[in-house]
Amino acid sequence: MIGSITLLIVKSDEKTGLYRESLQVLDRYAHLHNFDKKTTKRLRNQLKLDFDNRDVSDEQVLHFFPAGIRRKILRRLYLPTLLETSLMRGTR
């Protein structure tokens, strides 16, 4: 049990370290190119969103299930959005 807890802590620490490094690189990049604070903040927010959602992707969850179930779930998640795009509008 202690080994499992240690592994979780180490993995979390690696993720946090990678996030911090990415923020530092982003800050240097923004400074180098004279981004305003609003743009830099938006980039930082996007980076945080990416890191927060990195562990939970459709592929990671759905690869356990048969193709038919995966299709149904993906259709339910993404079909309404796809049908609203200009390319797919009016199709079924």
Side-chain angles (χ1 to χ4, degrees):
M1 180 143 195
I2 292 175
S4 297
I5 293 171
T6 303
L7 181 63
L8 289 173
I9 291 170
V10 168
K11 186 171 181 162
S12 176
D13 193 43
E14 288 174 1
K15 181 180 175 185
T16 302
L18 181 59
Y19 176 66
R20 286 183 184 147
E21 287 175 23
S22 298
L23 281 177
Q24 289 172 351
V25 169
L26 174 61
D27 288 340
R28 285 193 302 255
Y29 184 80
H31 180 72
L32 177 69
H33 295 288
N34 298 318
F35 289 169
D36 59 11
K37 289 184 180 189
K38 184 179 178 181
T39 302
T40 304
K41 184 176 180 179
R42 290 177 72 190
L43 291 171
R44 288 175 70 102
N45 288 341
Q46 183 62 40
L47 186 66
K48 183 177 185 324
L49 179 66
D50 180 57
F51 269 84
D52 288 345
N53 293 318
R54 188 171 278 184
D55 290 335
V56 183
S57 71
D58 294 335
E59 185 178 319
Q60 288 174 324
V61 174
L62 297 178
H63 81 277
F64 293 107
F65 300 101
I69 293 173
R70 287 195 307 259
R71 277 194 302 272
K72 284 181 182 179
I73 291 172
L74 291 172
R75 190 176 300 128
R76 181 177 182 273
L77 291 174
Y78 299 112
L79 185 62
T81 304
L82 285 173
L83 291 176
E84 291 178 14
T85 63
S86 59
L87 180 64
M88 301 296 287
R89 194 169 291 130
T91 63
R92 190 71 171 120

